[in-house]
Amino acid sequence: MALTSPSILSCRSIHRLNPFLFSPHCRHFRLLPPRWNPRRRSRKFFSALASENEVFTSPAIAKSFDFASEERIYNWWESQGYFKPSFDRAGGDPFVISMPPPNVTGSLHMGHAMFVTLEDIMARYFRMKGRPTLWVPGTDHAGIATQLVVEKMLAKEGIKRTDLSREEFTKRVWEWKEKYGGTITKQIRRLGASCDWSREHFTLDEQLSRAVAEAFVSLHEKGLIYQGSYLVNWSPALQTAVSDLEVEYSEEPGHLYHIKYRVAGGTKEDFLTIATTRPETLFADTAIAVHPEDERYAKYIGKLAIVPMTFGRHIPIIADKYVDREFGTGVLKISPGHDQNDYHIARKLGLPILNVMNKDGTLNDVAGIYNGMDRFEARKKLWADLEEAGLGVKKEPHTLRVPRSQRGGEVIEPLVSKQWFVTMEPLAEKALSAVEKGKLTILPDRFEKIYNHWLTNIKDWCISRQLWWGHRIPVWYIEGKDCEEHYIVARDEREALEKAKEKYGKSVEIYQDPDVLDTWFSSSLWPFSTLGWPDSSEDLQKFYPTTILETGHDILFFWVARMVMMGLELTGTVPFSYVYLHGLIRDAQGRKMSKTLGNVIDPLDTIKEYGTDALRFTISLGTAGQDLNLSMERLSANKAFTNKLWNAGKFVLQNMPDKSDTSSWELLLINEFDTEASLINLPLPECWVVSELHRLIDSVTASYEKFFFNEAGREIYDFFWGDFADWYIEASKTRLYHSGNNSTTSIAQAVLLYVFENILKLLHPFMPFVTEELWQALPYRKQDLIVSTWPKTSLPREIVSVKRFQNMQALIRAVRNARAEYSVEPAKRISASVVASSDVLGYISSEKEVLALLSRLDLEHVHFTELPPGDINQSVHIVASEGLEAYLPLADMVDVSSEIQRLSKRLSKMQSEYDALVARLNAPSFVEKAPAEIVRGVREKASEAEEKIALTKNRLEFLQSTVSIAK
């Protein structure tokens, strides 16, 4: 777009105006000098304005938006207190959202960029809508991850965790946290997160720790927390139970071992062969199962089998429909202490549970001579011994689904262990009811089925972890008493001691459970603990329940559902009304980002190259709940969008009155175009663009309200780039550069300002930095953009004018297409005869300057008539729409004789190429022997060539006919 006066435009800048209209070879085109140029008066003012403000830079003096200014703008927002909720405007109920707390050990990745972008869009939109907006930030203590980081740090000093006391170790962790724990929050700020940092929380804060203890005590008093020995995911390296979320499954090569189990009391021929991937667990077998309808083994049901290498231990042979007859041999060894499915079968049938594994991954004394061996070494030794004893039938390759620790990478061992659990079924019933009754809405709604399925089939939650870093379980045991029978649950040690003295006497001694709570336990309280619960704080009264919870769909069960259950149980209400789930960010090929693949995209590096706004806008255009493939091409395109915005701002600013001309500015700012009368009196292009803006405001606002951010972003993008930049800015030049009517100029200025400032408002939640910078450059701003009033909806639209301008656009496009088809030099102006009814001609001819400028027509030779001209046989006839046509004299567009020669040569070449393709296709040796894909490719090329030949022949015949007529 033009950024300086037409009289001083360079060839290069003219080409930038519109690549469809202008060419770098603009020396052939002489622009008329403008009669009025407002920028000659305004240059001095805008330079002075920018120098007065140390925070913002005006596009009038800066060539492009400087990404380095983003941190300066962010700090300024925060210093003004804009991130805190304001009740000054009557905008409705508070909008409250809790940030999913990233791990304190974390550094910014694209997953963080996703949730920060989406949540900040929400916060900025509802803030502009006038609702008191609170976005609560914070970080998670990340028990396992943080402990591992500090243990590795200590290892470099030659220190093991066990060399220190618990108190000494946790002190070192706190020191590490104070030094490095703020990295992630600083990086989140870099993304533009407008959260209230004065309310930042850490899950081990004193207040949140009180909330955790209160929740545990409350649930225990209701009989919802209990202690017991059950099968859990055990990490031998970390020496702790881990949650399902912390277990990742990978497809790995392994083996399927076929082993003979002799039938007790039978002959040598009476045996069952089982197929297992983990032979070392056979020492924990408590039964062998076959399918009740499997005729191969029916005679053995009810008998006993002898477990190999156990010196004759007998186990029952049972029938169960769970057994897959097609897998392996159709015989299943049941080891309830080391397999989740076997564990459930054993619980159902009342089978005993044996454990053959120590907590460090070695076998225990149940394994006999293999006692003390590492589980994988024992596997090798046991198989060798089985083969030697004639009990090892065969070992065959098999792909295993191996559970590995997300943190340490070692193979997870299903292990029976004494842990603390939460009874989930009664909690799940309330959470299911909340969705069913419409108290909670899950977006996209397809995840509602997944939510319901998980809660319907929920298992009790293991909440204890064998770590030193985290919330210590608020349970105290009595010295000298059985731990399972005698314990005290209390909020703190003082309360525990008082309770113990009341029950066991004043001389009682107590000690606290050494385990800590699962990190997800404290996270499940996040929406209300961060607002002051269990105290009846002012924040809890004002801001709870919160409005929405936004997070990744992958933690719908592990975090979201648990928050719903805890909120309902502990506060009596659903903690949020909506759950918005986003997808994962993948690379351009749809692959998960990983260091192994080398496809990880660092958000901070991306910001340096493309800017925060481009990154945010790219991420936000993904469809809710679906994974987003992130490519450099998308980022580059949206960086160009940022530049386009900047240049539009430059154009608008340079075509406004001087700031000192207060009377002109008063007239500009008074135009709100919010009435039918103010709209209908506008010239056609102005009426069209304002009407389309009003339609956009309604549509985008509706999309924001429904959380359809991708739709809102695309609509704004299309309107700005297509309607405003490509059409209205170009049309406005006829008013700004070539109009002798100050009134027309003022109207164009008012519309430019009105549309542009509303675009900035609509786009601000997506691209906060560049929009605020541009907003601050506009004179006489009453509010800063971040807290400005959202555009009004239901503003008038002039549908007739919209359709009329669309008709004119169709005519302009048709002329442009004809010019392109005949390779008319972009700078060359041509004549035209526009044919239509008198009504259509009336509004088209009233904007003949716009028509001429955007179509590159010779203004002095544009004719408007109700009848076709006399030379139609020597003109290119174009139909723009029904009832609107134009005739373009061929002589204006091309040298007919030269064009005939050029097309004749081109046709001859095309015919030769086509004949060669046909010859290949007619050759049996090619069609029969060549790969199908190659043959198909040749057929497609031949078809395309045939179409091009037909088009070229038609055009050539037309040109030859014009020569004949002229003679």
Side-chain angles (χ1 to χ4, degrees):
M1 66 185 59
L3 304 178
T4 52
S5 168
S7 60
I8 55 173
L9 280 172
S10 68
C11 292
R12 185 177 177 187
S13 62
I14 286 177
H15 180 63
R16 286 197 195 120
L17 298 184
N18 192 322
F20 296 106
L21 301 182
F22 300 106
S23 163
H25 308 294
C26 59
R27 59 183 176 272
H28 301 298
F29 170 58
R30 182 175 62 85
L31 285 167
L32 296 173
R35 300 178 186 177
W36 179 76
N37 187 351
R39 287 165 298 172
R40 291 177 177 169
R41 297 185 291 161
S42 59
R43 278 187 181 278
K44 183 178 180 181
F45 152 63
F46 286 116
S47 297
L49 176 68
S51 65
E52 291 171 5
N53 196 324
E54 297 180 358
V55 178
F56 300 99
T57 304
S58 170
I61 64 170
K63 182 179 179 182
S64 60
F65 177 60
D66 184 4
F67 304 147
S69 66
E70 292 174 348
E71 290 184 77
R72 186 170 65 250
I73 295 170
Y74 185 89
N75 293 335
W76 180 79
W77 281 327
E78 190 174 7
S79 71
Q80 301 300 304
Y82 290 150
F83 298 165
K84 297 180 179 180
S86 171
F87 288 85
D88 295 341
R89 292 157 59 186
D93 295 334
F95 176 82
V96 187
I97 182 169
S98 302
M99 176 185 291
N103 288 351
V104 71
T105 57
S107 59
L108 199 68
H109 57 65
M110 280 298 175
H112 297 126
M114 173 72 91
F115 85 70
V116 170
T117 295
L118 294 174
E119 291 171 28
D120 195 48
I121 287 173
M122 298 178 194
R124 290 179 184 272
Y125 167 70
F126 287 106
R127 187 181 293 119
M128 293 175 75
K129 288 284 285 185
R131 292 175 63 174
T133 298
L134 175 60
W135 184 12
V136 182
T139 48
D140 192 288
H141 65 277
I144 293 176
T146 306
Q147 182 161 315
L148 276 176
V149 167
V150 177
E151 284 188 15
K152 289 178 181 177
M153 180 186 73
L154 291 173
K156 293 179 181 178
E157 302 174 23
I159 302 172
K160 294 181 179 179
R161 172 171 61 90
T162 51
D163 294 338
L164 305 174
S165 68
R166 185 175 191 137
E167 290 71 24
E168 289 171 333
F169 178 76
T170 53
K171 181 183 177 183
R172 294 293 294 269
V173 181
W174 275 108
E175 289 173 354
W176 178 92
K177 189 264 179 186
E178 293 304 314
K179 187 173 182 180
Y180 300 106
T183 299
I184 186 67
T185 55
K186 291 175 184 176
Q187 293 172 335
I188 285 175
R189 290 169 182 263
R190 191 68 187 82
L191 287 164
S194 60
C195 42
D196 185 355
W197 293 105
S198 68
R199 286 177 166 88
E200 181 182 2
H201 289 283
F202 177 53
T203 47
L204 281 179
D205 285 347
E206 182 180 350
Q207 192 274 316
L208 269 66
S209 296
R210 281 200 308 111
V212 168
E214 181 66 33
F216 188 98
V217 172
S218 177
L219 293 171
H220 185 269
E221 288 175 350
K222 294 177 181 180
L224 294 172
I225 284 183
Y226 64 94
Q227 188 182 38
S229 294
Y230 296 94
L231 197 70
V232 298
N233 298 312
W234 184 263
S235 168
L238 299 173
Q239 290 284 287
T240 181
V242 296
S243 73
D244 291 341
L245 184 63
E246 292 157 335
V247 178
E248 294 182 339
Y249 290 87
S250 60
E251 299 288 327
E252 300 179 18
H255 293 93
L256 195 60
Y257 300 84
H258 293 252
I259 304 169
K260 285 183 181 180
Y261 280 58
R262 299 195 186 280
V263 178
T267 67
K268 289 185 178 181
E269 304 303 319
D270 291 315
F271 61 85
L272 297 172
T273 301
I274 63 95
T276 179
T277 58
R278 305 176 66 211
E280 69 277 6
T281 62
L282 64 80
F283 299 106
D285 289 353
T286 58
I288 282 182
V290 297
H291 196 280
E293 298 174 3
D294 194 333
E295 296 179 358
R296 293 175 295 174
Y297 309 116
K299 64 181 179 180
Y300 296 125
I301 296 172
K303 295 186 177 183
L304 298 175
I306 303 171
V307 180
M309 313 306 289
T310 61
F311 304 101
R313 185 166 67 86
H314 290 34
I315 55 176
I317 301 171
I318 63 174
D320 197 285
K321 290 183 178 181
Y322 171 79
V323 178
D324 181 0
R325 285 179 284 184
E326 305 303 319
F327 178 77
T329 61
V331 183
L332 177 69
K333 62 186 286 295
I334 298 179
S335 309
H338 299 283
D339 182 272
Q340 289 285 354
N341 295 320
D342 292 0
Y343 180 78
H344 292 301
I345 292 174
R347 292 289 298 273
K348 179 180 71 174
L349 301 177
L351 297 173
I353 296 173
L354 287 178
N355 174 30
V356 71
M357 202 80 64
N358 294 314
K359 291 185 176 180
D360 62 356
T362 59
L363 302 195
N364 60 27
D365 55 6
V366 173
I369 62 172
Y370 305 94
N371 181 19
M373 294 184 67
D374 174 78
R375 51 185 168 160
F376 300 117
E377 291 301 316
R379 181 180 299 175
K380 295 177 183 177
K381 175 72 167 97
L382 174 61
W383 179 248
D385 293 346
L386 286 167
E387 286 186 308
E388 186 177 345
L391 299 175
V393 179
K394 65 176 179 178
K395 181 177 75 171
E396 58 186 4
H398 183 73
T399 300
L400 307 179
R401 188 168 179 262
V402 180
R404 289 190 176 274
S405 167
Q406 186 186 61
R407 300 299 177 187
E410 79 280 5
V411 176
I412 291 295
E413 188 66 43
L415 201 67
V416 174
S417 174
K418 188 170 76 171
Q419 305 286 344
W420 287 94
F421 295 85
V422 177
T423 302
M424 300 303 287
E425 189 173 342
L427 301 179
E429 288 176 1
K430 295 179 182 179
L432 285 165
S433 176
V435 172
E436 183 182 351
K437 293 180 178 179
K439 295 179 180 179
L440 176 64
T441 301
I442 299 175
L443 303 170
D445 58 8
R446 69 176 183 276
F447 286 103
E448 186 179 313
K449 291 182 180 179
I450 300 172
Y451 173 91
N452 290 340
H453 179 266
W454 187 74
L455 287 176
T456 303
N457 298 279
I458 199 167
K459 298 184 294 184
D460 285 357
W461 175 15
C462 174
I463 57 172
S464 48
R465 298 290 181 268
Q466 290 63 53
L467 303 170
W468 282 0
W469 174 247
H471 295 100
R472 193 89 171 260
I473 290 179
V475 172
W476 283 262
Y477 301 108
I478 311 303
E479 288 283 1
K481 299 283 186 180
D482 186 327
C483 294
E484 292 189 15
E485 298 293 332
H486 302 276
Y487 61 83
I488 302 292
V489 176
R491 292 163 181 80
D492 53 40
E493 188 171 12
R494 179 191 57 77
E495 181 183 323
L497 188 57
E498 288 179 1
K499 287 184 175 182
K501 285 180 179 179
E502 288 179 11
K503 188 173 183 179
Y504 298 99
K506 294 184 178 179
S507 61
V508 69
E509 293 184 9
I510 61 174
Y511 62 96
Q512 191 172 1
D513 192 307
D515 292 350
V516 299
L517 287 163
D518 178 11
T519 300
W520 294 102
F521 188 87
S522 55
S523 297
S524 69
L525 314 177
W526 188 251
F528 46 94
S529 65
T530 52
L531 295 174
W533 187 88
D535 300 332
S536 183
S537 65
E538 184 179 353
D539 272 5
L540 193 67
Q541 298 301 316
K542 284 184 178 180
F543 301 117
Y544 188 80
T546 65
T547 310
I548 190 169
L549 187 283
E550 191 285 331
T551 190
H553 65 69
D554 53 328
I555 54 174
L556 173 61
F557 327 124
F558 305 106
W559 187 42
V560 179
R562 286 169 177 167
M563 280 189 288
V564 175
M565 289 185 280
M566 289 299 187
L568 286 165
E569 188 62 36
L570 298 172
T571 72
T573 186
V574 180
F576 27 74
S577 301
Y578 298 92
V579 173
Y580 181 100
L581 300 169
H582 66 249
L584 305 177
I585 296 185
R586 300 181 178 274
D587 69 6
Q589 300 175 43
R591 300 174 302 174
K592 189 174 181 180
M593 292 186 187
S594 70
K595 292 180 180 178
T596 304
L597 293 174
N599 62 345
V600 176
I601 302 174
D602 188 303
L604 296 178
D605 291 342
T606 305
I607 286 171
K608 288 178 184 177
E609 184 173 354
Y610 300 97
T612 304
D613 290 321
L615 174 60
R616 286 171 57 118
F617 195 71
T618 302
I619 288 173
S620 64
L621 294 187
T623 303
Q626 293 185 8
D627 293 351
L628 173 71
N629 294 352
L630 184 63
S631 67
M632 295 302 104
E633 289 76 15
R634 288 189 182 188
L635 287 165
S636 296
N638 289 324
K639 180 181 179 181
F641 181 40
T642 307
N643 291 335
K644 189 82 170 180
L645 275 171
W646 190 258
N647 289 338
K650 190 187 292 284
F651 177 86
V652 172
L653 283 167
Q654 292 179 332
N655 285 287
M656 292 295 119
D658 192 294
K659 186 180 181 181
S660 61
D661 187 355
T662 54
S663 59
S664 294
W665 272 101
E666 286 175 3
L667 289 173
L668 285 180
L669 296 171
I670 205 171
N671 288 299
E672 294 187 356
F673 306 109
D674 56 355
T675 65
E676 295 280 358
S678 64
L679 191 61
I680 202 167
N681 291 325
L682 289 174
L684 183 60
E686 283 71 21
C687 189
W688 164 76
V689 75
V690 171
S691 294
E692 288 296 86
L693 171 69
H694 291 171
R695 179 201 57 78
L696 176 74
I697 291 171
D698 288 350
S699 179
V700 166
T701 302
S703 292
Y704 272 116
E705 291 289 336
K706 296 175 183 176
F707 307 108
F708 293 168
F709 304 123
N710 59 326
E711 293 183 11
R714 287 191 180 95
E715 285 185 280
I716 302 168
Y717 179 96
D718 291 342
F719 174 82
F720 167 77
W721 203 296
D723 293 348
F724 184 64
D726 285 354
W727 285 98
Y728 183 67
I729 282 183
E730 297 302 320
S732 72
K733 293 171 186 175
T734 62
R735 284 90 158 106
L736 300 172
Y737 301 158
H738 308 295
S739 173
N741 187 332
N742 285 340
S743 174
T744 303
T745 299
S746 296
I747 290 173
Q749 289 174 320
V751 169
L752 276 171
L753 184 64
Y754 175 74
V755 176
F756 188 63
E757 67 183 11
N758 276 288
I759 288 172
L760 295 181
K761 286 185 177 184
L762 296 176
L763 197 54
H764 177 74
F766 289 94
M767 307 177 77
F769 293 107
V770 68
T771 53
E772 186 75 75
E773 187 95 294
L774 289 167
W775 179 269
Q776 295 292 338
L778 299 173
Y780 299 106
R781 301 294 94 189
K782 294 180 181 179
Q783 298 171 306
D784 298 313
L785 182 57
I786 187 176
V787 289
S788 64
T789 304
W790 187 256
K792 296 177 183 177
T793 55
S794 301
L795 293 172
R797 292 180 62 208
E798 227 302 299
I799 304 301
V800 172
S801 294
V802 170
K803 290 182 178 178
R804 285 178 173 180
F805 191 79
Q806 289 172 345
N807 222 15
M808 192 164 120
Q809 285 178 306
L811 177 59
I812 292 168
R813 289 192 185 99
V815 174
R816 289 175 176 176
N817 290 338
R819 292 175 63 101
E821 185 180 348
Y822 284 90
S823 303
V824 180
E825 288 190 8
K828 185 176 182 180
R829 291 182 176 251
I830 61 175
S831 305
S833 293
V834 179
V835 180
S837 66
S838 58
D839 289 343
V840 175
L841 291 177
Y843 65 77
I844 295 289
S845 62
S846 68
E847 294 297 341
K848 63 181 179 180
E849 291 84 2
V850 174
L851 175 64
L853 177 65
L854 301 190
S855 303
R856 307 303 293 153
L857 300 177
D858 184 347
L859 186 60
E860 301 299 324
H861 293 87
V862 178
H863 306 288
F864 300 92
T865 175
E866 295 183 41
L867 298 174
D871 58 350
I872 61 172
N873 291 326
Q874 292 182 300
S875 299
V876 176
H877 178 214
I878 57 176
V879 178
S881 61
E882 186 176 352
L884 179 58
E885 305 173 14
Y887 291 87
L888 310 177
L890 196 57
D892 278 11
M893 301 171 69
V894 293
D895 181 321
V896 176
S897 298
S898 298
E899 184 68 1
I900 289 174
Q901 290 181 6
R902 187 183 73 82
L903 287 178
S904 297
K905 290 180 180 178
R906 182 181 175 187
L907 182 60
S908 177
K909 182 179 179 182
M910 291 168 66
Q911 188 66 51
S912 297
E913 292 173 350
Y914 173 73
D915 291 342
L917 292 170
V918 171
R920 290 184 71 187
L921 292 172
N922 288 334
S925 58
F926 171 73
V927 175
E928 294 171 4
K929 295 180 180 180
E933 290 183 5
I934 293 178
V935 175
R936 185 168 57 252
V938 173
R939 290 189 194 280
E940 289 173 357
K941 287 181 180 179
S943 179
E944 290 174 7
E946 191 174 16
E947 288 180 13
K948 290 179 181 178
I949 288 171
L951 290 172
T952 305
K953 282 182 176 179
N954 290 338
R955 190 168 163 190
L956 187 59
E957 288 172 2
F958 170 68
L959 291 173
Q960 289 170 340
S961 69
T962 61
V963 172
S964 301
I965 291 170
K967 289 180 179 179

